[in-house]
Amino acid sequence: MSIVHSDEFGQFQEDNATPHTSRVATEWLQEHSSDFRHFHCPPKSPDMNIFEPIWVALQCAVQKRSPPPGTPMDLRISLQDSWCEEPPGYLQTLVDTMPRRVASFLCAHVGPQRY
């Protein structure tokens, strides 16, 4: 983790979704727990998951395509094209919202928050 984080600790965030709570994932997390700080989130919390707005943006972009994708390969190409059409700073903008998201989450502890 020292490559990514100057303090040698990464921040691991997961939302308690089923794949994250499997035996294999749980054992791996326990084995590597000294390599990162574990940030516990409520199950499937869109407020703490910056990938949710990405999925929504991609879904909207693909739904607007005419004709709609008809095969899995068409869907893959549509998703890739839609991803490439996102503004260059899109991901950084989402990452930059995380301090506000965490602060809001810690203060509220209830329901979705506006950012």
Side-chain angles (χ1 to χ4, degrees), residues 25-87:
T26 302
E27 288 174 1
W28 186 92
L29 286 171
Q30 289 172 346
E31 184 179 324
H32 294 88
S33 64
S34 63
D35 296 337
F36 51 82
R37 293 176 291 240
H38 193 171
F39 186 77
H40 296 276
C41 294
K44 301 176 180 128
S45 172
D47 294 332
M48 298 307 297
N49 185 344
I50 64 172
F51 294 104
E52 291 301 321
I54 295 169
W55 285 120
V56 170
L58 289 174
Q59 180 181 17
C60 290
V62 169
Q63 287 176 342
K64 291 178 184 176
R65 294 197 178 261
S66 182
T71 67
M73 185 53 78
D74 291 343
L75 177 59
R76 179 181 177 160
I77 291 168
S78 294
L79 286 168
Q80 288 173 330
D81 291 347
S82 297
W83 177 254
C84 291
E85 293 167 3
E86 289 297 328

Side-chain angles (χ1 to χ4, degrees), residues 7 18 21 24 30 42-43 45 47 53-55 59 70 76 79 85 89 96-97 99 101-102 107 113-114:
D7 67 359
T18 305
T21 58
V24 171
Q30 289 172 346
S45 172
D47 294 332
I54 295 169
W55 285 120
Q59 180 181 17
R76 179 181 177 160
L79 286 168
E85 293 167 3
D96 291 345
T97 66
R101 289 173 184 253
V102 171
C107 288
Q113 302 297 308
R114 295 189 70 89

